[in-house]
Amino acid sequence: TDWTNMQSEIKTDWTNKMKAHTASSAYARQNGKPVVCIWGFGFSDDKRPFAPAPCLDVVNWFTSQGCYVIGGVPTWWRTGDRDSRPGFSDVYHAFDM
């Protein structure tokens, strides 16, 4: 919510803090990959002002890090209307789940 530097800061947070937790046997894995859940891309409210390109970059970056990426998306993600912003189809389809 209201995260203005999401694209760079989420990558830094993963690299400097969260990635270390994946060594634990308690960390969630899918198909041998550490699971990362990202919630909020594409929602049509003012609190998540992210454009599609930076969001797609983040999803692809986590995938390139060897992660299984789950997205928490709006109800109307398939049609890109109501609670979903238009133009996020590529982002939604880039998630593993």
Side-chain angles (χ1 to χ4, degrees):
T1 304
D2 290 330
W3 198 1
T4 56
N5 297 318
M6 175 278 300
Q7 187 178 6
S8 62
E9 289 179 2
I10 197 169
K11 294 174 185 180
T12 300
D13 186 64
W14 174 258
T15 302
N16 295 337
K17 297 176 187 173
M18 299 307 299
K19 189 174 181 179
H21 296 287
T22 65
S24 169
S25 62
Y27 194 90
R29 294 189 170 277
Q30 177 64 34
N31 300 330
K33 298 176 180 181
V35 174
V36 173
C37 299
I38 302 172
W39 189 92
F41 287 175
F43 282 81
S44 63
D45 62 70
D46 294 337
K47 297 294 184 180
R48 286 170 268 293
F50 320 126
C55 294
L56 183 58
D57 173 71
V58 167
V59 175
N60 289 336
W61 183 83
F62 275 106
T63 299
S64 75
Q65 300 298 302
C67 296
Y68 184 90
V69 188
I70 298 173
V73 299
T75 302
W76 299 99
W77 68 273
R78 287 184 184 96
T79 56
D81 58 4
R82 299 181 221 182
D83 66 342
S84 177
R85 290 187 179 154
F88 275 80
S89 181
D90 289 344
V91 178
Y92 303 147
H93 287 99
F95 288 120
D96 292 306
M97 183 171 99

